[in-house]
mmCIF file of all heavy atoms in Angstrom:
data_model
loop_
_atom_site.group_PDB
_atom_site.id
_atom_site.type_symbol
_atom_site.label_atom_id
_atom_site.label_comp_id
_atom_site.label_asym_id
_atom_site.label_seq_id
_atom_site.Cartn_x
_atom_site.Cartn_y
_atom_site.Cartn_z
ATOM 1 N N ALA H 192 13.545 3.800 2.754
ATOM 2 C CA ALA H 192 14.299 4.998 2.358
ATOM 3 C C ALA H 192 15.804 4.782 2.423
ATOM 4 O O ALA H 192 16.309 4.054 3.273
ATOM 5 C CB ALA H 192 13.916 6.167 3.256
ATOM 6 N N HIS H 193 16.493 5.451 1.524
ATOM 7 C CA HIS H 193 17.944 5.549 1.530
ATOM 8 C C HIS H 193 18.347 6.942 1.996
ATOM 9 O O HIS H 193 17.790 7.950 1.539
ATOM 10 C CB HIS H 193 18.518 5.353 0.134
ATOM 11 C CG HIS H 193 18.657 3.925 -0.278
ATOM 12 N ND1 HIS H 193 18.990 3.550 -1.562
ATOM 13 C CD2 HIS H 193 18.538 2.770 0.421
ATOM 14 C CE1 HIS H 193 19.059 2.229 -1.639
ATOM 15 N NE2 HIS H 193 18.777 1.737 -0.449
ATOM 16 N N ALA H 194 19.327 6.994 2.884
ATOM 17 C CA ALA H 194 19.917 8.281 3.281
ATOM 18 C C ALA H 194 21.410 8.087 3.458
ATOM 19 O O ALA H 194 21.862 7.016 3.868
ATOM 20 C CB ALA H 194 19.296 8.784 4.575
ATOM 21 N N TRP H 195 22.174 9.126 3.145
ATOM 22 C CA TRP H 195 23.611 9.045 3.343
ATOM 23 C C TRP H 195 24.128 10.412 3.761
ATOM 24 O O TRP H 195 23.436 11.412 3.653
ATOM 25 C CB TRP H 195 24.320 8.543 2.091
ATOM 26 C CG TRP H 195 24.060 9.292 0.824
ATOM 27 C CD1 TRP H 195 24.763 10.338 0.307
ATOM 28 C CD2 TRP H 195 22.992 9.030 -0.120
ATOM 29 N NE1 TRP H 195 24.211 10.755 -0.880
ATOM 30 C CE2 TRP H 195 23.137 9.963 -1.174
ATOM 31 C CE3 TRP H 195 21.949 8.109 -0.172
ATOM 32 C CZ2 TRP H 195 22.273 10.008 -2.267
ATOM 33 C CZ3 TRP H 195 21.090 8.146 -1.258
ATOM 34 C CH2 TRP H 195 21.249 9.079 -2.292
ATOM 35 N N GLY H 196 25.351 10.416 4.263
ATOM 36 C CA GLY H 196 25.892 11.606 4.910
ATOM 37 C C GLY H 196 25.817 11.436 6.417
ATOM 38 O O GLY H 196 25.703 10.318 6.935
ATOM 39 N N ASN H 197 25.864 12.527 7.142
ATOM 40 C CA ASN H 197 25.785 12.472 8.599
ATOM 41 C C ASN H 197 24.345 12.193 9.022
ATOM 42 O O ASN H 197 23.456 13.011 8.799
ATOM 43 C CB ASN H 197 26.259 13.794 9.203
ATOM 44 C CG ASN H 197 26.094 13.814 10.710
ATOM 45 O OD1 ASN H 197 26.178 12.787 11.366
ATOM 46 N ND2 ASN H 197 25.847 14.985 11.267
ATOM 47 N N LEU H 198 24.103 11.054 9.652
ATOM 48 C CA LEU H 198 22.752 10.684 10.073
ATOM 49 C C LEU H 198 22.467 11.030 11.528
ATOM 50 O O LEU H 198 21.324 10.975 11.961
ATOM 51 C CB LEU H 198 22.524 9.177 9.856
ATOM 52 C CG LEU H 198 22.662 8.694 8.410
ATOM 53 C CD1 LEU H 198 22.387 7.201 8.343
ATOM 54 C CD2 LEU H 198 21.739 9.457 7.487
ATOM 55 N N GLY H 199 23.506 11.370 12.300
ATOM 56 C CA GLY H 199 23.281 11.755 13.686
ATOM 57 C C GLY H 199 22.534 10.685 14.465
ATOM 58 O O GLY H 199 22.976 9.527 14.529
ATOM 59 N N VAL H 200 21.380 11.051 15.033
ATOM 60 C CA VAL H 200 20.590 10.118 15.850
ATOM 61 C C VAL H 200 19.289 9.718 15.133
ATOM 62 O O VAL H 200 18.337 9.283 15.770
ATOM 63 C CB VAL H 200 20.276 10.721 17.234
ATOM 64 C CG1 VAL H 200 21.545 10.961 18.006
ATOM 65 C CG2 VAL H 200 19.475 12.032 17.110
ATOM 66 N N THR H 201 19.279 9.840 13.805
ATOM 67 C CA THR H 201 18.037 9.623 13.053
ATOM 68 C C THR H 201 17.510 8.210 13.192
ATOM 69 O O THR H 201 16.306 7.997 13.382
ATOM 70 C CB THR H 201 18.249 9.966 11.570
ATOM 71 O OG1 THR H 201 18.688 11.324 11.465
ATOM 72 C CG2 THR H 201 16.957 9.803 10.788
ATOM 73 N N GLN H 202 18.374 7.226 13.084
ATOM 74 C CA GLN H 202 17.896 5.846 13.136
ATOM 75 C C GLN H 202 17.276 5.513 14.487
ATOM 76 O O GLN H 202 16.244 4.842 14.550
ATOM 77 C CB GLN H 202 19.022 4.891 12.775
ATOM 78 C CG GLN H 202 19.394 4.976 11.290
ATOM 79 C CD GLN H 202 20.553 4.100 10.911
ATOM 80 O OE1 GLN H 202 21.596 4.106 11.568
ATOM 81 N NE2 GLN H 202 20.401 3.348 9.840
ATOM 82 N N ASP H 203 17.854 5.994 15.566
ATOM 83 C CA ASP H 203 17.241 5.776 16.881
ATOM 84 C C ASP H 203 15.936 6.552 17.005
ATOM 85 O O ASP H 203 14.959 6.066 17.587
ATOM 86 C CB ASP H 203 18.201 6.189 17.998
ATOM 87 C CG ASP H 203 19.237 5.123 18.292
ATOM 88 O OD1 ASP H 203 18.932 3.929 18.100
ATOM 89 O OD2 ASP H 203 20.343 5.476 18.719
ATOM 90 N N ALA H 204 15.888 7.759 16.456
ATOM 91 C CA ALA H 204 14.668 8.571 16.553
ATOM 92 C C ALA H 204 13.491 7.894 15.872
ATOM 93 O O ALA H 204 12.375 7.877 16.403
ATOM 94 C CB ALA H 204 14.910 9.956 15.957
ATOM 95 N N VAL H 205 13.716 7.344 14.671
ATOM 96 C CA VAL H 205 12.591 6.722 13.959
ATOM 97 C C VAL H 205 12.160 5.423 14.616
ATOM 98 O O VAL H 205 10.985 5.032 14.521
ATOM 99 C CB VAL H 205 12.916 6.498 12.471
ATOM 100 C CG1 VAL H 205 13.165 7.830 11.776
ATOM 101 C CG2 VAL H 205 14.094 5.562 12.276
ATOM 102 N N MET H 206 13.074 4.741 15.298
ATOM 103 C CA MET H 206 12.695 3.522 15.994
ATOM 104 C C MET H 206 12.059 3.815 17.355
ATOM 105 O O MET H 206 11.310 3.004 17.894
ATOM 106 C CB MET H 206 13.908 2.611 16.166
ATOM 107 C CG MET H 206 14.498 2.107 14.861
ATOM 108 S SD MET H 206 13.301 1.276 13.789
ATOM 109 C CE MET H 206 12.944 -0.191 14.739
ATOM 110 N N ALA H 207 12.333 4.989 17.911
ATOM 111 C CA ALA H 207 11.777 5.359 19.216
ATOM 112 C C ALA H 207 10.368 5.948 19.096
ATOM 113 O O ALA H 207 9.566 5.829 20.030
ATOM 114 C CB ALA H 207 12.694 6.372 19.903
ATOM 115 N N ALA H 208 10.062 6.587 17.964
ATOM 116 C CA ALA H 208 8.817 7.336 17.834
ATOM 117 C C ALA H 208 7.621 6.426 17.534
ATOM 118 O O ALA H 208 7.771 5.364 16.925
ATOM 119 C CB ALA H 208 8.948 8.382 16.722
ATOM 120 N N ASP H 209 6.457 6.878 17.941
ATOM 121 C CA ASP H 209 5.224 6.146 17.621
ATOM 122 C C ASP H 209 4.879 6.241 16.145
ATOM 123 O O ASP H 209 4.372 5.302 15.552
ATOM 124 C CB ASP H 209 4.054 6.692 18.451
ATOM 125 C CG ASP H 209 4.153 6.341 19.916
ATOM 126 O OD1 ASP H 209 4.871 5.379 20.254
ATOM 127 O OD2 ASP H 209 3.526 7.040 20.736
ATOM 128 N N ARG H 210 5.131 7.412 15.531
ATOM 129 C CA ARG H 210 4.818 7.621 14.115
ATOM 130 C C ARG H 210 5.990 8.321 13.441
ATOM 131 O O ARG H 210 6.718 9.076 14.092
ATOM 132 C CB ARG H 210 3.549 8.483 13.956
ATOM 133 C CG ARG H 210 2.314 7.835 14.550
ATOM 134 C CD ARG H 210 1.066 8.688 14.371
ATOM 135 N NE ARG H 210 1.143 9.973 15.057
ATOM 136 C CZ ARG H 210 0.953 10.128 16.367
ATOM 137 N NH1 ARG H 210 0.701 9.077 17.135
ATOM 138 N NH2 ARG H 210 1.015 11.331 16.918
ATOM 139 N N VAL H 211 6.156 8.071 12.154
ATOM 140 C CA VAL H 211 7.269 8.643 11.402
ATOM 141 C C VAL H 211 6.736 9.280 10.118
ATOM 142 O O VAL H 211 6.009 8.632 9.355
ATOM 143 C CB VAL H 211 8.324 7.568 11.033
ATOM 144 C CG1 VAL H 211 9.431 8.181 10.172
ATOM 145 C CG2 VAL H 211 8.899 6.934 12.287
ATOM 146 N N ILE H 212 7.083 10.552 9.914
ATOM 147 C CA ILE H 212 6.829 11.225 8.640
ATOM 148 C C ILE H 212 8.176 11.393 7.959
ATOM 149 O O ILE H 212 9.109 11.977 8.532
ATOM 150 C CB ILE H 212 6.172 12.601 8.841
ATOM 151 C CG1 ILE H 212 4.807 12.455 9.534
ATOM 152 C CG2 ILE H 212 6.010 13.316 7.504
ATOM 153 C CD1 ILE H 212 4.168 13.777 9.908
ATOM 154 N N LEU H 213 8.287 10.876 6.753
ATOM 155 C CA LEU H 213 9.549 10.911 6.032
ATOM 156 C C LEU H 213 9.427 11.823 4.824
ATOM 157 O O LEU H 213 8.495 11.678 4.027
ATOM 158 C CB LEU H 213 9.942 9.494 5.613
ATOM 159 C CG LEU H 213 11.379 9.325 5.122
ATOM 160 C CD1 LEU H 213 11.941 7.989 5.580
ATOM 161 C CD2 LEU H 213 11.458 9.426 3.605
ATOM 162 N N LEU H 214 10.354 12.762 4.680
ATOM 163 C CA LEU H 214 10.379 13.695 3.557
ATOM 164 C C LEU H 214 11.464 13.245 2.577
ATOM 165 O O LEU H 214 12.634 13.190 2.940
ATOM 166 C CB LEU H 214 10.669 15.119 4.031
ATOM 167 C CG LEU H 214 9.935 15.607 5.286
ATOM 168 C CD1 LEU H 214 10.280 17.052 5.560
ATOM 169 C CD2 LEU H 214 8.434 15.422 5.145
ATOM 170 N N ALA H 215 11.076 12.908 1.371
ATOM 171 C CA ALA H 215 12.020 12.373 0.393
ATOM 172 C C ALA H 215 12.261 13.363 -0.725
ATOM 173 O O ALA H 215 11.318 13.942 -1.278
ATOM 174 C CB ALA H 215 11.495 11.065 -0.183
ATOM 175 N N GLU H 216 13.522 13.541 -1.069
ATOM 176 C CA GLU H 216 13.863 14.375 -2.218
ATOM 177 C C GLU H 216 13.434 13.719 -3.537
ATOM 178 O O GLU H 216 13.119 14.409 -4.497
ATOM 179 C CB GLU H 216 15.379 14.636 -2.244
ATOM 180 C CG GLU H 216 15.904 15.440 -1.062
ATOM 181 C CD GLU H 216 15.449 16.884 -1.077
ATOM 182 O OE1 GLU H 216 15.322 17.445 -2.190
ATOM 183 O OE2 GLU H 216 15.231 17.449 0.002
ATOM 184 N N GLU H 217 13.415 12.388 -3.554
ATOM 185 C CA GLU H 217 13.105 11.651 -4.781
ATOM 186 C C GLU H 217 12.328 10.390 -4.417
ATOM 187 O O GLU H 217 12.617 9.743 -3.399
ATOM 188 C CB GLU H 217 14.401 11.285 -5.506
ATOM 189 C CG GLU H 217 14.223 10.514 -6.788
ATOM 190 C CD GLU H 217 15.538 10.063 -7.406
ATOM 191 O OE1 GLU H 217 16.577 10.143 -6.717
ATOM 192 O OE2 GLU H 217 15.515 9.616 -8.573
ATOM 193 N N ILE H 218 11.357 10.039 -5.228
ATOM 194 C CA ILE H 218 10.650 8.768 -5.082
ATOM 195 C C ILE H 218 11.170 7.816 -6.158
ATOM 196 O O ILE H 218 11.217 8.165 -7.347
ATOM 197 C CB ILE H 218 9.129 8.940 -5.229
ATOM 198 C CG1 ILE H 218 8.604 9.898 -4.156
ATOM 199 C CG2 ILE H 218 8.426 7.586 -5.129
ATOM 200 C CD1 ILE H 218 8.801 9.427 -2.730
ATOM 201 N N VAL H 219 11.588 6.622 -5.719
ATOM 202 C CA VAL H 219 12.138 5.616 -6.626
ATOM 203 C C VAL H 219 11.358 4.317 -6.460
ATOM 204 O O VAL H 219 10.511 4.183 -5.577
ATOM 205 C CB VAL H 219 13.640 5.383 -6.340
ATOM 206 C CG1 VAL H 219 14.451 6.657 -6.585
ATOM 207 C CG2 VAL H 219 13.854 4.888 -4.908
ATOM 208 N N THR H 220 11.668 3.346 -7.293
ATOM 209 C CA THR H 220 11.022 2.045 -7.164
ATOM 210 C C THR H 220 11.638 1.251 -6.016
ATOM 211 O O THR H 220 12.772 1.527 -5.574
ATOM 212 C CB THR H 220 11.170 1.232 -8.453
ATOM 213 O OG1 THR H 220 12.556 0.918 -8.656
ATOM 214 C CG2 THR H 220 10.633 2.014 -9.648
ATOM 215 N N GLY H 221 10.917 0.257 -5.560
ATOM 216 C CA GLY H 221 11.438 -0.603 -4.512
ATOM 217 C C GLY H 221 12.704 -1.323 -4.920
ATOM 218 O O GLY H 221 13.557 -1.628 -4.071
ATOM 219 N N ASP H 222 12.873 -1.597 -6.216
ATOM 220 C CA ASP H 222 14.088 -2.267 -6.683
ATOM 221 C C ASP H 222 15.331 -1.428 -6.399
ATOM 222 O O ASP H 222 16.391 -1.972 -6.082
ATOM 223 C CB ASP H 222 13.987 -2.541 -8.187
ATOM 224 C CG ASP H 222 13.002 -3.651 -8.516
ATOM 225 O OD1 ASP H 222 12.670 -4.430 -7.593
ATOM 226 O OD2 ASP H 222 12.569 -3.737 -9.681
ATOM 227 N N VAL H 223 15.210 -0.109 -6.514
ATOM 228 C CA VAL H 223 16.352 0.765 -6.236
ATOM 229 C C VAL H 223 16.745 0.654 -4.757
ATOM 230 O O VAL H 223 17.933 0.541 -4.420
ATOM 231 C CB VAL H 223 16.030 2.225 -6.606
ATOM 232 C CG1 VAL H 223 17.150 3.160 -6.145
ATOM 233 C CG2 VAL H 223 15.807 2.361 -8.099
ATOM 234 N N ILE H 224 15.760 0.659 -3.878
ATOM 235 C CA ILE H 224 16.051 0.558 -2.447
ATOM 236 C C ILE H 224 16.655 -0.807 -2.129
ATOM 237 O O ILE H 224 17.660 -0.913 -1.402
ATOM 238 C CB ILE H 224 14.771 0.787 -1.613
ATOM 239 C CG1 ILE H 224 14.162 2.156 -1.930
ATOM 240 C CG2 ILE H 224 15.077 0.653 -0.121
ATOM 241 C CD1 ILE H 224 15.043 3.338 -1.626
ATOM 242 N N ARG H 225 16.086 -1.868 -2.688
ATOM 243 C CA ARG H 225 16.585 -3.214 -2.397
ATOM 244 C C ARG H 225 17.969 -3.465 -2.979
ATOM 245 O O ARG H 225 18.693 -4.348 -2.515
ATOM 246 C CB ARG H 225 15.600 -4.257 -2.931
ATOM 247 C CG ARG H 225 14.312 -4.340 -2.122
ATOM 248 C CD ARG H 225 13.451 -5.521 -2.551
ATOM 249 N NE ARG H 225 12.905 -5.333 -3.896
ATOM 250 C CZ ARG H 225 11.764 -4.713 -4.150
ATOM 251 N NH1 ARG H 225 11.034 -4.209 -3.151
ATOM 252 N NH2 ARG H 225 11.329 -4.591 -5.393
ATOM 253 N N SER H 226 18.370 -2.663 -3.969
ATOM 254 C CA SER H 226 19.687 -2.846 -4.569
ATOM 255 C C SER H 226 20.821 -2.481 -3.621
ATOM 256 O O SER H 226 21.964 -2.870 -3.850
ATOM 257 C CB SER H 226 19.802 -2.014 -5.851
ATOM 258 O OG SER H 226 19.938 -0.625 -5.544
ATOM 259 N N ASP H 227 20.522 -1.710 -2.576
ATOM 260 C CA ASP H 227 21.559 -1.279 -1.627
ATOM 261 C C ASP H 227 20.998 -1.326 -0.219
ATOM 262 O O ASP H 227 20.718 -0.294 0.400
ATOM 263 C CB ASP H 227 22.023 0.135 -1.978
ATOM 264 C CG ASP H 227 23.350 0.500 -1.300
ATOM 265 O OD1 ASP H 227 23.823 -0.301 -0.470
ATOM 266 O OD2 ASP H 227 23.894 1.575 -1.600
ATOM 267 N N PRO H 228 20.795 -2.527 0.330
ATOM 268 C CA PRO H 228 20.132 -2.647 1.636
ATOM 269 C C PRO H 228 20.905 -2.030 2.783
ATOM 270 O O PRO H 228 20.311 -1.629 3.782
ATOM 271 C CB PRO H 228 19.994 -4.169 1.821
ATOM 272 C CG PRO H 228 21.027 -4.769 0.929
ATOM 273 C CD PRO H 228 21.141 -3.856 -0.245
ATOM 274 N N GLY H 229 22.210 -1.902 2.645
ATOM 275 C CA GLY H 229 23.009 -1.311 3.722
ATOM 276 C C GLY H 229 22.797 0.174 3.887
ATOM 277 O O GLY H 229 23.225 0.755 4.891
ATOM 278 N N ARG H 230 22.155 0.807 2.912
ATOM 279 C CA ARG H 230 21.938 2.244 2.988
ATOM 280 C C ARG H 230 20.525 2.591 3.473
ATOM 281 O O ARG H 230 20.153 3.761 3.542
ATOM 282 C CB ARG H 230 22.172 2.880 1.612
ATOM 283 C CG ARG H 230 22.583 4.342 1.665
ATOM 284 C CD ARG H 230 22.777 4.912 0.270
ATOM 285 N NE ARG H 230 23.796 4.213 -0.480
ATOM 286 C CZ ARG H 230 25.102 4.448 -0.358
ATOM 287 N NH1 ARG H 230 25.533 5.355 0.478
ATOM 288 N NH2 ARG H 230 25.970 3.762 -1.076
ATOM 289 N N VAL H 231 19.729 1.586 3.812
ATOM 290 C CA VAL H 231 18.351 1.846 4.231
ATOM 291 C C VAL H 231 18.335 2.561 5.580
ATOM 292 O O VAL H 231 18.894 2.081 6.576
ATOM 293 C CB VAL H 231 17.541 0.538 4.307
ATOM 294 C CG1 VAL H 231 16.165 0.796 4.917
ATOM 295 C CG2 VAL H 231 17.384 -0.065 2.918
ATOM 296 N N LEU H 232 17.692 3.710 5.602
ATOM 297 C CA LEU H 232 17.576 4.499 6.833
ATOM 298 C C LEU H 232 16.537 3.907 7.756
ATOM 299 O O LEU H 232 16.744 3.763 8.964
ATOM 300 C CB LEU H 232 17.195 5.942 6.481
ATOM 301 C CG LEU H 232 16.836 6.853 7.662
ATOM 302 C CD1 LEU H 232 18.086 7.140 8.487
ATOM 303 C CD2 LEU H 232 16.213 8.156 7.174
#
Side-chain angles (χ1 to χ4, degrees):
H193 278 172
W195 55 92
N197 176 30
L198 300 181
V200 297
T201 302
Q202 290 177 311
D203 279 330
V205 297
M206 296 305 292
D209 289 339
R210 298 181 297 282
V211 177
I212 299 173
L213 193 143
L214 316 183
E216 296 291 326
E217 180 185 13
I218 300 298
V219 297
T220 66
D222 288 342
V223 173
I224 302 299
R225 288 188 292 272
S226 74
D227 196 354
R230 206 181 300 278
V231 173
L232 172 69

